[in-house]
Amino acid sequence: MFEAALEGLVGVLQPEAFTFMCLGVLIGSLVGFLPGVGGPSTLAIMLPFVMTMKDPLLVIALLVGMDAVGNTASAFTSILISVPGSTGSQATILDGHPMAKNGEGARALSASFVASLLGGIFGALVLFASLPMLRPLVLSFSSPEFFILTLWGVTMVGILSGNAPVKGLLGGILGVFISTVGLDAKSGVERFAFDISYFWEGIDLVLVALGIFAIPEVIDLAGRKGTIAKAEEFGRGYVQGIIDVFQNWWLLLRTSIIGVWVGFLPGLGSSVADWFAYAHAVQTEKNRENFGKGDVRGVIASEGCNNAKEGGDYIPTLAFGIPGGTSSALVLTAFIAVGIKPGPDMLTSQLNLTFAVIWTLVIANIIATAICMIFAKPIAKICFMPFYAIVPPVVAFVFIGAFAANFHSYDLLGLMAFSTLGFFMRRYGWPRAPLVLGMVLGDKMELYLWLSYTRYGLEWLTRPMVIVLILLLIASIVYPILTSRARAAGRSIAEA
Amino acid sequence: MVRGKEQIFFTAFIGLVIIGALFVATDWPVRASIIILLLGGVGVILTGIQLAMDYKAIRTEGSQITRPTFEVQAIEHQGRWGSLEIWAWLWGLFFAIHLIGFPIALPVFVLLYVKLYGGSWLTAIILTAVTGSFLYGIYDYFLSVPWPKPWLAYFF
């Protein structure tokens, strides 16, 4: 294991990989502090590029570097203009923006950067520590267990990615259906291709991701006309913010654990992690009367947690090939395209690549924090870019990326079709992550189901581990529904 | 109430897609249809439940739509033309790409968009140059992307 760790470190520190990592960190940070341009949208835009790369280390350096730091830079807009740069920094607004209003913007920013750094490193360490435990577990699984796990992944994301569980599950099913389009190599059947040769190769995930995520965000940004609120002053207390984090180390540790746990569970993304952490801080800390009015502990809790989540997110992604959310689903797609095989191989023959992911998480967080700390003032000014400077380049990149997926002019038509679907899904409150996850896992799910059926008939349903996993799956469906019903009942009693 | 009805139409559309997929898959061998039949059956039941929930929501809460808590907020119409304005830009770009080709359509789109929404000439030129150099530098020069032949090229 030590050799693999060293190999991973040497790999990501090679000049080419390191340059790609820095590029990923820059893009991730830029995306982070530009409200309206989400991490998944940018990852989707990057997919056509990375799929042309041959070296898996470069892909890891670029995409993991980008994914790891999105939440670090998003604190700029959350604190200074009360607009979250990413979904993971929503709770930061609650105390960060009041601090900026009180003239302590610099203190809030430095506290958030240092908390993000330490949270991110903690997440990577947990990923590292989990490897010896995961290896025997993953190697004991065969197709029936993996089928239930893939089903569980889609179900969890469907149930938990919104308060619309039925819509989420339907989105997941739709995603699996889209993944089946094309010529089925095993049976030779043409599925949902309707005699159109373009469909024989299947529908490219790049098109779906760009259409479902990038265009609806652009529509939203263009529709809002980018009227960003007046900026608060940069303020004072830059060094004090750093000291605050170390004075509240116990809070940071607890909220980082929450972040890792939320990341580990499929379906719960950074958009919920920061709220969990913030709620935990408010419930457990002493002298809580200042929360919501500009308490630095609110910033530390939220920012430490949302970066720690990334390490937790990569545990199921790498070990089981089951991504925890949209970003990791897109990263997983790129991994598979360049020959990285998530699953047991990542803990055996490709262990060096797993360590490359861990090292990238650590180093990318250090680089992002350094950039944010050193260039805080000039970066803060970029946050105020108007919508007309963001929308056209993003649209241009989306169209180029869609065409570059297959170099086919039908790709653009496909982009417009999935953009329309994404727009309506967002308009009517349908979570979009389950659709993408269903598409990513659809092939595997089908393969594992078929292998289980042909090898064991229906007896695979009686395997002990399968029974345990099915019970967990049922519990994960029933528990959120029961708790939401109990909450609703409680609310109506309170109103009465 | 109109939004609530739209919601029901969208759910019904998803349901029809699933039912259509199930119907088509019944002609295939088990190897090709197993996952469609398994999940499609569940999908039909879930669509029924969702339709009932949408209908109930219209009856009890008027046109209100339940939004996912952990998703971004649902898009609302803004301004006089709402989302139609940006959709017009997107479709305009789509047809311009087919008509005059990627290398001309994209820089022109960027320049026009920035200028028409009040950007300065400097901003417009810088962004157009960045888009153009990205297009020619990365895609044309390094990746040698075969741009599709524009329709106008067939006439001239």
Side-chain angles (χ1 to χ4, degrees):
Chain A
M1 192 181 263
F2 179 74
E3 276 177 22
L6 198 64
E7 209 180 318
L9 179 63
V10 171
V12 294
L13 289 179
Q14 281 172 0
E16 207 178 352
F18 190 74
T19 309
F20 271 87
M21 193 200 302
C22 292
L23 185 68
V25 169
L26 280 175
I27 297 171
S29 303
L30 187 72
V31 169
F33 62 71
L34 287 178
V37 188
S41 315
T42 319
L43 279 170
I45 293 170
M46 295 301 289
L47 281 182
F49 295 98
V50 296
M51 283 175 172
T52 61
M53 293 180 183
K54 297 280 180 280
D55 189 348
L57 272 174
L58 299 186
V59 175
I60 289 173
L62 182 69
L63 290 190
V64 178
M66 213 174 116
D67 189 31
V69 302
N71 289 323
T72 305
S74 63
F76 274 109
T77 49
S78 297
I79 290 167
L80 295 178
I81 56 178
S82 188
V83 175
S86 72
T87 50
S89 289
Q90 294 176 82
T92 308
I93 293 174
L94 298 182
D95 281 295
H97 191 59
M99 283 180 77
K101 278 181 170 173
N102 299 337
E104 290 185 315
R107 183 182 172 192
L109 281 172
S110 61
S112 80
F113 298 147
V114 176
S116 290
L117 169 69
L118 298 177
I121 292 175
F122 180 80
L125 287 176
V126 173
L127 173 59
F128 169 74
S130 66
L131 292 179
M133 288 176 272
L134 284 171
R135 188 148 43 175
L137 185 69
V138 174
L139 294 178
S140 70
F141 279 13
S142 63
S143 49
E145 288 82 11
F146 276 115
F147 168 67
I148 299 294
L149 272 181
T150 51
L151 197 64
W152 193 18
V154 177
T155 309
M156 282 283 274
V157 173
I159 292 272
L160 296 173
S161 59
N163 59 1
V166 181
K167 290 176 181 173
L169 291 173
L170 281 169
I173 291 171
L174 209 59
V176 175
F177 280 18
I178 294 171
S179 76
T180 63
V181 173
L183 278 177
D184 179 32
K186 302 288 187 299
S187 63
V189 172
E190 190 187 281
R191 296 193 290 187
F192 306 125
F194 309 107
D195 291 328
I196 300 167
S197 60
Y198 173 75
F199 288 126
W200 288 354
E201 294 286 310
I203 294 176
D204 207 300
L205 182 80
V206 174
L207 282 186
V208 180
L210 286 171
I212 293 283
F213 287 104
I215 295 290
E217 302 309 316
V218 167
I219 291 170
D220 186 39
L221 186 64
R224 278 191 280 121
K225 300 274 186 286
T227 46
I228 291 170
K230 183 179 160 286
E232 298 300 335
E233 288 298 314
F234 193 68
R236 59 182 187 276
Y238 209 60
V239 177
Q240 182 56 44
I242 301 168
I243 297 167
D244 287 333
V245 177
F246 290 101
Q247 281 176 339
N248 291 288
W249 67 272
W250 178 231
L251 172 68
L252 179 69
L253 182 67
R254 282 172 4 239
T255 52
S256 297
I257 292 169
I258 291 173
V260 171
W261 177 242
V262 170
F264 178 75
L265 292 174
L268 295 172
S270 51
S271 51
V272 51
D274 60 330
W275 288 113
F276 278 179
Y278 187 80
H280 172 78
V282 175
Q283 281 169 355
T284 57
E285 287 291 291
K286 290 173 186 168
N287 309 319
R288 58 188 88 158
E289 60 278 0
N290 275 336
F291 277 105
K293 296 173 191 162
D295 194 316
V296 75
R297 291 173 298 175
V299 175
I300 293 167
S302 162
E303 288 297 316
C305 172
N306 64 23
N307 265 29
K309 184 202 94 32
E310 303 303 334
D313 205 349
Y314 279 102
I315 296 173
T317 307
L318 296 176
F320 301 102
I322 295 170
T326 318
S327 296
S328 46
L330 296 171
V331 172
L332 180 72
T333 307
F335 279 7
I336 294 167
V338 297
I340 303 171
K341 290 179 187 163
D345 284 356
M346 291 302 285
L347 305 170
T348 51
S349 58
Q350 293 186 322
L351 190 61
N352 61 323
L353 295 181
T354 304
F355 276 105
V357 171
I358 294 171
W359 287 117
T360 305
L361 284 172
V362 173
I363 299 168
N365 269 295
I366 294 171
I367 296 171
T369 306
I371 291 172
C372 289
M373 297 286 281
I374 296 166
F375 301 107
K377 274 193 175 176
I379 289 174
K381 286 181 183 162
I382 305 174
C383 302
F384 312 121
M385 274 172 80
F387 77 99
Y388 57 74
I390 302 169
V391 169
V394 172
V395 170
F397 293 145
V398 167
F399 272 77
I400 299 173
F403 178 72
N406 295 305
F407 305 137
H408 201 297
S409 52
Y410 277 14
D411 289 336
L412 296 183
L413 204 56
L415 172 74
M416 295 306 283
F418 283 108
S419 301
T420 310
L421 179 66
F423 171 76
F424 281 117
M425 286 182 84
R426 205 179 147 188
R427 188 165 162 76
Y428 299 128
W430 286 60
R432 294 164 292 166
L435 190 144
V436 173
L437 199 67
M439 205 179 157
V440 171
L441 292 177
D443 280 348
K444 281 185 178 181
M445 194 187 284
E446 186 178 18
L447 179 69
Y448 290 137
L449 175 62
W450 182 248
L451 287 177
S452 308
Y453 179 69
T454 48
R455 277 184 195 167
Y456 309 102
L458 288 177
E459 274 182 29
W460 64 270
L461 286 164
T462 59
R463 289 165 69 97
M465 187 53 89
V466 170
I467 293 171
V468 171
L469 289 170
I470 288 175
L471 288 174
L472 282 171
L473 193 151
I474 293 168
S476 68
I477 295 173
V478 173
Y479 181 71
I481 294 171
L482 288 180
T483 47
S484 70
R485 286 199 163 201
R487 229 178 289 138
R491 260 203 308 269
S492 51
I493 289 168
E495 279 166 13
Chain B
M1 190 66 87
V2 175
R3 289 292 301 277
K5 280 183 183 165
E6 287 175 17
Q7 164 89 318
I8 286 190
F9 283 135
F10 187 69
T11 308
F13 167 74
I14 299 289
L16 282 176
V17 170
I18 292 173
I19 291 168
L22 264 177
F23 183 71
V24 173
T26 47
D27 285 342
W28 303 338
V30 182
R31 171 69 183 87
S33 61
I34 187 167
I35 196 82
I36 310 280
L37 297 177
L38 182 75
L39 295 184
V42 178
V44 171
I45 297 166
L46 289 175
T47 307
I49 295 171
Q50 186 58 48
L51 280 171
M53 285 163 69
D54 290 346
Y55 183 71
K56 196 178 160 194
I58 290 183
R59 296 290 296 266
T60 54
E61 296 172 42
S63 61
Q64 267 201 341
I65 287 171
T66 317
R67 292 192 183 110
T69 312
F70 305 134
E71 254 262 352
V72 278
Q73 207 181 25
I75 297 170
E76 298 288 348
H77 283 308
Q78 285 121 2
R80 191 175 171 189
W81 298 102
S83 311
L84 287 177
E85 203 172 295
I86 181 68
W87 273 115
W89 277 101
L90 293 172
W91 279 107
L93 177 62
F94 174 82
F95 285 112
I97 287 168
H98 285 86
L99 197 67
I100 56 178
F102 261 100
I104 300 173
L106 286 180
V108 168
F109 164 75
V110 175
L111 187 80
L112 281 178
Y113 194 96
V114 177
K115 273 313 293 170
L116 287 176
Y117 284 102
S120 65
W121 274 108
L122 184 68
T123 313
I125 290 167
I126 289 172
L127 287 173
T128 307
V130 168
T131 310
S133 42
F134 194 79
L135 196 74
Y136 287 105
I138 306 281
Y139 281 96
D140 216 50
Y141 187 77
F142 280 114
L143 298 175
S144 305
V145 169
W147 302 117
K149 199 175 174 184
W151 293 340
L152 277 184
Y154 291 104
F155 297 106
F156 299 104

